[in-house]
Amino acid sequence: MAIEVQESTQAKAPGRMGDKVFSTSSLVAGSLILAVLAAVAIFLVAQSLPAFLADPADVNDGQGFWTYVIPLVFGTIWAAALALVIALPFAIGIALFISHFAPRKLAQGLGYVIDLLAAVPSVVFGLWGITVLAPAVQPFYSWLVDNLGWIPLFAGPVSGTGRSILTVAVVLAVMILPIITALSREIFLQTPRLHEEAALALGATRWEMIKVAVLPFGRPGIISATMLGLGRALGETMAVAMVLSPSVIISFALIQSQNPTTIAANIALNFPEAHDLGVNVLIATGLILFLITLLVNSLARMVINRRKAFSGAN
């Protein structure tokens, strides 16, 4: 009997050792993520304090830090929000088409193209925006000013090059489209087949089945995908810096030559020439962008937690 117990203990030992290694590795990985996040936050706060404590007369030619940063915050949120408004309907429509309407071979090919689009570098999107998109949309902007110029969003004078905040929003929308589409597609494909068949058995059309079964099930995933795309749009640098004709202003006009710039693009454009307090000011704007992304993610988590009843875990 003692021999059998000893053999059983020896047989379980490798398994227990594997459990310990796995649990320790998981703990280290999770702790490392928190440590890196804390290190980034500490660096940003420490380097930003001189900008927050400096005399307003020494910041941005005497305008003060907050006078300088508020237009940047506005431009960041405004450009990302416009991109999200443009991209989200297309992303959900494409995801539904791939998951529930397209033939299998077409769905596989289209899904591959969407995934491939996410791998395109942002500088390529910036070049496309400058050389192709901006000249192509400039006549359309002129038409908007001539016919809808009484609407504040389309007020003139129109940009002669087409490099406006609306053009940047379109470029950002194309960049975040594959992220939202890919995640939404995977969520829609996980909808329980029983729910879909039950809706169809009760006489629902294909669209009604999607409305009552697929979309409620996928709502938390759509929110997560949207917030991930929004985070990409908030932090995008090169495409915005290349396409936009920036100004540190607050303006809701979409097609003028003077446009609000974003925090990330402003840092990229001004950091090479910054020195002394100017470096601290730019890092402080980076801290504010860091806080904005954390706030966006926290709000998304709150919304998802409210809708746990629709999650796939149930």
Side-chain angles (χ1 to χ4, degrees), residues 50-60 62-65 277:
F52 291 131
L53 301 177
D55 188 346
D58 298 332
V59 179
N60 193 30
Q63 296 184 10
F65 175 76
L277 185 61

Side-chain angles (χ1 to χ4, degrees), residues 28-207:
V28 170
S31 302
L32 183 62
I33 293 175
L34 295 177
V36 170
L37 184 63
V40 171
I42 292 172
F43 165 78
L44 291 175
V45 172
Q47 294 295 321
S48 300
L49 285 178
F52 291 131
L53 301 177
D55 188 346
D58 298 332
V59 179
N60 193 30
D61 298 329
Q63 296 184 10
F65 175 76
W66 293 109
T67 304
Y68 173 70
V69 76
I70 288 176
L72 298 178
V73 173
F74 168 80
T76 301
I77 297 176
W78 182 231
L82 289 173
L84 200 60
V85 169
I86 296 172
L88 186 58
F90 288 100
I92 295 177
I94 295 172
L96 287 174
F97 176 74
I98 293 176
S99 61
H100 286 82
F101 290 95
R104 185 178 182 84
K105 290 185 178 180
L106 177 60
Q108 290 178 347
L110 188 58
Y112 176 77
V113 171
I114 294 296
D115 294 339
L116 187 62
L117 189 62
V120 177
S122 59
V123 66
V124 175
F125 284 108
L127 292 172
W128 171 73
I130 292 175
T131 60
V132 178
L133 182 62
V137 298
Q138 201 281 330
F140 176 65
Y141 290 169
S142 299
W143 181 89
L144 286 176
V145 171
D146 294 338
N147 296 273
L148 300 175
W150 52 273
I151 301 176
L153 291 177
F154 305 125
V158 66
S159 171
T161 60
R163 297 171 61 181
S164 66
I165 191 70
L166 184 57
T167 305
V168 169
V170 173
V171 174
L172 291 177
V174 175
M175 295 179 67
I176 67 177
L177 182 68
I179 298 175
I180 303 176
T181 301
L183 294 177
S184 299
R185 177 193 66 203
E186 295 302 321
I187 294 296
F188 294 156
L189 289 173
Q190 293 177 15
T191 304
R193 181 66 61 182
L194 182 62
H195 294 184
E196 298 180 0
E197 293 177 352
L200 294 173
L202 291 174
T205 63
R206 179 71 65 88
W207 162 241

Side-chain angles (χ1 to χ4, degrees), residues 230-250:
L230 180 60
R232 171 73 187 274
L234 287 171
E236 178 52 42
T237 303
M238 285 306 301
V240 178
M242 294 173 67
V243 176
L244 193 63
S245 299
S247 300
V248 184
I249 60 172
I250 296 178

